[in-house]
């Protein structure tokens, strides 16, 4: 029997949280509700969710701090929920490690679709251990392993959220191929994603902070078009 995937719902408005829970239960998810940041952080260890729906405006510890705390020890997918729709808030959420951002009020069907889309993309290292065809890209001082979702840079493991790793792997697997932001959105985030191309820029910025350009390779910006992973002979 296949176990249900678990969704942790963090929202100080219990009515909204209960409504979200009902929609997800109908889709055969198991849910748990937390109404504050402190209990949410504790539930990550006890409930062991497959995904977190995280409201930003929480009493005590806010959603940004919860996201930062979770990311310090786990790569569990996080979808932020907020009434704040400004670009700054979305960018800040993504920079802190969120995998998606939804503005309130949102359509229940879209929420469920995004949850499923993010879960499809997230594959922890324990999934499919018998996989024989390893997906690994290697460059001098860099190894990107999509089989176990790990990145090694300068001999050290680098922690990064799933989408960052997927974006890096996708670019590095086709060196010197230029991709537009729209193409990268389609490939990494999927057609269900309704965010703008700024999302790609934010993730590239975070990658560059963790993976510095090497004399043999680097992430290059093609102004007015997009990005490429440049392999230098």
């Amino acid at each position: 029997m296949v176990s249900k995937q678990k969704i942790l719902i963090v929202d100080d408005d219990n009515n909204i949280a209960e409504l979200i829970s009902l929609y997800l239960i109908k889709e055969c998810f198991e849910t748990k509700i937390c109404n504050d940041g402190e209990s949410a952080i504790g539930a990550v260890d006890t409930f062991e969710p497959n995904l977190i729906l995280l409201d930003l405006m929480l009493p005590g510890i806010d959603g940004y701090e919860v996201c930062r705390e979770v990311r310090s020890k786990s790569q569990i997918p996080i979808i932020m929920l907020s009434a704040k729709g400004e670009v700054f808030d979305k960018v800040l959420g993504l920079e802190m490690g969120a995998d998606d951002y939804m503005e309130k009020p949102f359509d229940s069907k879209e929420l469920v679709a995004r949850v499923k889309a993010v879960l499809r993309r997230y594959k922890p290292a324990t999934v499919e251990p018998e996989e024989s065809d390893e997906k690994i890209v290697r460059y001098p001082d860099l190894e990107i392993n999509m089989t176990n979702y790990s990145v090694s840079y300068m001999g050290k493991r680098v922690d990064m959220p799933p989408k960052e790793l997927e974006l890096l792997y996708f670019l590095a697997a086709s060196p010197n191929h230029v991709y537009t932001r729209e193409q990268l959105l389609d490939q990494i985030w999927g057609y269900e994603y309704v965010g703008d191309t700024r999302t790609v820029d934010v993730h590239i910025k975070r990658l560059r902070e963790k993976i510095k350009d090497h004399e043999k390779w680097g992430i290059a910006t093609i102004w007015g078009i997009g990005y490429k992973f440049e392999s230098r002979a």
Side-chain angles (χ1 to χ4, degrees), residues 78-131:
I78 297 173
I79 299 178
M80 285 186 170
L81 309 175
S82 177
K84 296 181 176 181
E86 289 81 5
V87 171
F88 170 80
D89 297 300
K90 295 179 181 180
V91 171
L92 181 58
L94 292 169
E95 287 184 336
M96 287 190 166
D99 296 272
D100 204 348
Y101 187 108
M102 289 194 70
E103 185 179 346
K104 293 181 178 180
F106 45 76
D107 181 80
S108 59
K109 291 182 179 179
E110 181 186 349
L111 175 64
V112 171
R114 290 207 191 191
V115 166
K116 290 180 177 179
V118 171
L119 285 171
R120 279 198 301 272
R121 291 190 293 269
Y122 177 67
K123 296 178 182 179
T126 55
V127 173
E128 298 178 2
E130 291 137 19
E131 179 69 44

Side-chain angles (χ1 to χ4, degrees), residues 2-196:
V2 179
S3 59
K4 293 182 179 180
Q5 290 183 296
K6 301 177 181 179
I7 311 296
L8 178 62
I9 303 166
V10 187
D11 199 309
D12 63 333
D13 188 326
N14 200 57
N15 291 327
I16 292 177
E18 291 284 359
L19 190 60
I20 293 172
S21 179
L22 285 174
Y23 288 129
L24 292 172
I25 289 171
K26 282 184 180 179
E27 297 293 327
C28 297
F29 290 105
E30 181 181 345
T31 66
K32 180 179 178 61
I33 295 172
C34 291
N35 300 124
D36 62 82
E38 187 174 355
S39 61
I41 292 171
V44 171
D45 294 325
T46 57
F47 183 58
E48 298 183 343
N50 299 100
L51 181 143
I52 302 171
L53 290 174
L54 178 61
D55 184 37
L56 293 182
M57 304 302 288
L58 298 171
I61 304 174
D62 66 17
Y64 291 119
E65 188 61 34
V66 172
C67 182
R68 185 184 292 111
E69 181 67 24
V70 171
R71 276 289 167 267
S72 70
K73 58 183 179 181
S74 171
Q75 298 304 317
I76 299 169
I78 297 173
I79 299 178
M80 285 186 170
L81 309 175
S82 177
K84 296 181 176 181
E86 289 81 5
V87 171
F88 170 80
D89 297 300
K90 295 179 181 180
V91 171
L92 181 58
L94 292 169
E95 287 184 336
M96 287 190 166
D99 296 272
D100 204 348
Y101 187 108
M102 289 194 70
E103 185 179 346
K104 293 181 178 180
F106 45 76
D107 181 80
S108 59
K109 291 182 179 179
E110 181 186 349
L111 175 64
V112 171
R114 290 207 191 191
V115 166
K116 290 180 177 179
V118 171
L119 285 171
R120 279 198 301 272
R121 291 190 293 269
Y122 177 67
K123 296 178 182 179
T126 55
V127 173
E128 298 178 2
E130 291 137 19
E131 179 69 44
S132 57
D133 297 323
E134 290 189 333
K135 295 181 179 180
I136 302 175
V137 174
R138 293 186 177 94
Y139 290 90
D141 299 314
L142 178 67
E143 179 179 288
I144 311 155
N145 189 325
M146 278 288 287
T147 303
N148 63 12
Y149 267 63
S150 67
V151 174
S152 175
Y153 170 63
M154 303 297 288
K156 295 181 180 180
R157 183 174 177 129
V158 180
D159 292 326
M160 58 179 63
K163 282 199 195 64
E164 281 183 35
L165 192 149
E166 290 168 14
L167 178 59
L168 178 61
Y169 178 86
F170 182 77
L171 289 169
S174 300
N176 300 317
H177 185 108
V178 178
Y179 291 97
T180 67
R181 291 171 175 81
E182 290 78 10
Q183 288 174 323
L184 293 172
L185 273 177
D186 288 342
Q187 289 291 331
I188 308 303
W189 283 263
Y191 69 90
E192 299 107 329
Y193 187 74
V194 296
D196 58 36

Side-chain angles (χ1 to χ4, degrees), residues 211-231:
I211 306 292
K212 306 298 183 183
D213 274 6
H214 192 277
E215 63 178 356
K216 296 291 187 180
W217 50 263
I219 300 174
T221 300
I222 310 302
W223 296 108
I225 301 176
Y227 299 97
K228 71 175 180 178
F229 189 92
E230 190 173 57
S231 178

